[in-house]
Amino acid sequence: MKNLRLKAARASLDLSQQALADAVGVSRQTINAIEKGDYNPTIRLCVSICKVLGRSLDELFWEDD
Amino acid sequence: MDWLVRISGVVALVCIGVMVYLIVKMSPDGFRKEQYDERQTLERLKAARAGFYAMLIVALIYLIVTSFAPELGNQSRVWMCVMLFFGIGTFCLYAIFSDAFFSLRQKPWLYLLLIGVNLLTQGFNLVNYFADGGTLRDSVGTNYILVLGMILLLLIIGAALVIKMILDRTERD
């Protein structure tokens, strides 16, 4: 499932995929895969992304039923 | 006298190796390990598995072919090269198309440049060999069988990289 909340949070800070990837220490393609729902990140990467975007894990990664 | 030349050659090579090691070690970055992120590491593992299975498939084909045409079994070195390059090629293609080929610091265009230089030099060697009447048979021109395999492999990797770079341009946000 696509992670549109992550994409929206990133866009609200005017960050490109590359900028976010550099900030959390992964490749741009990995951020792209997470946003497209092609890759399930580890909790460590989720926390790093949340810290950079200033959001909580729930806000970005919790899937509502 | 011959052994003296050989020993001095080996000593010179060891000295050059030690010098290169020291130069790299003293450089600010040293021997930095290639860094892949968590997704890339997983994809590279899958790529390695795919490469291994590709090699097994070639080995199976070799067994089947040689059981029907035993004379082809004489070309064992050629088959070994085919198996090796098939495995490496599968690994590379899988890694390229799952964005796990380059580490975080590597520059794709620099890699393409290196492939181009390699293709030119190796291709020049191979063309010269054929121009001099060389042939590719087992035990004859074995080195050139490797060169031919490497040229094909580099061509495939280069083409895949270019295709992937074009696809990536449309994907960016």
Side-chain angles (χ1 to χ4, degrees):
Chain A
M1 199 196 327
K2 280 188 178 182
N3 193 337
L4 296 174
R5 281 175 295 178
L6 172 59
K7 193 168 187 170
R10 178 175 61 76
S12 70
L13 292 176
D14 205 19
L15 278 175
S16 65
Q17 284 183 344
Q18 187 64 61
L20 177 59
D22 291 341
V24 296
V26 296
S27 63
R28 183 196 64 78
Q29 288 87 354
T30 298
I31 297 296
N32 187 51
I34 296 170
E35 286 184 358
K36 285 202 298 188
D38 292 340
Y39 173 63
N40 255 338
T42 59
I43 191 74
R44 186 187 293 225
L45 180 54
C46 289
V47 170
S48 299
I49 291 171
C50 287
K51 280 181 179 170
V52 170
L53 297 180
R55 304 289 173 100
S56 67
L57 278 170
D58 274 7
E59 283 177 290
L60 293 184
F61 294 103
W62 188 260
E63 286 180 10
D64 296 319
D65 292 328
Chain B
M1 200 62 192
D2 192 35
W3 61 269
L4 195 65
V5 173
R6 284 183 187 194
I7 287 176
S8 52
V10 169
V11 170
L13 275 177
V14 169
C15 288
I16 291 169
V18 169
M19 270 162 48
V20 169
Y21 175 80
L22 287 175
I23 289 167
V24 174
K25 197 71 182 168
M26 283 188 296
S27 70
D29 292 337
F31 277 125
R32 289 200 308 184
K33 202 179 161 202
E34 290 299 339
Q35 196 190 343
Y36 298 94
D37 66 33
E38 54 180 52
R39 184 193 60 83
Q40 286 178 313
T41 309
L42 284 174
E43 293 297 340
R44 287 175 74 83
L45 280 173
K46 287 183 199 168
R49 198 183 305 155
F52 175 71
Y53 286 133
M55 285 168 80
L56 282 186
I57 288 169
V58 176
L60 193 69
I61 291 170
Y62 171 73
L63 285 176
I64 294 169
V65 166
T66 50
S67 65
F68 287 108
E71 67 276 8
L72 285 174
N74 297 333
Q75 308 287 327
S76 58
R77 284 179 192 163
V78 178
W79 277 100
M80 206 174 74
C81 288
V82 170
M83 199 165 83
L84 198 68
F85 285 121
F86 211 76
I88 296 170
T90 306
F91 170 82
C92 291
L93 289 181
Y94 192 108
I96 287 169
F97 285 102
S98 56
D99 296 306
F101 190 69
F102 294 112
S103 68
L104 298 176
R105 283 187 305 275
Q106 269 181 315
K107 304 268 183 287
W109 59 267
L110 193 65
Y111 195 87
L112 268 174
L113 192 72
L114 277 174
I115 284 182
V117 171
N118 237 313
L119 275 174
L120 275 177
T121 50
Q122 301 292 354
F124 187 71
N125 274 341
L126 196 69
V127 168
N128 269 349
Y129 177 70
F130 283 128
D132 292 342
T135 53
L136 296 177
R137 291 196 318 275
D138 212 39
S139 306
V140 179
T142 306
N143 183 37
Y144 290 96
I145 295 171
L146 272 171
V147 171
L148 184 66
M150 200 162 81
I151 286 174
L152 286 174
L153 189 65
L154 288 177
L155 276 174
I156 291 168
I157 291 173
L161 282 174
V162 170
I163 292 168
K164 184 65 187 155
M165 282 163 93
I166 292 167
L167 289 175
D168 272 0
R169 285 176 70 180
T170 58
E171 181 203 72
R172 280 175 191 272
D173 60 339

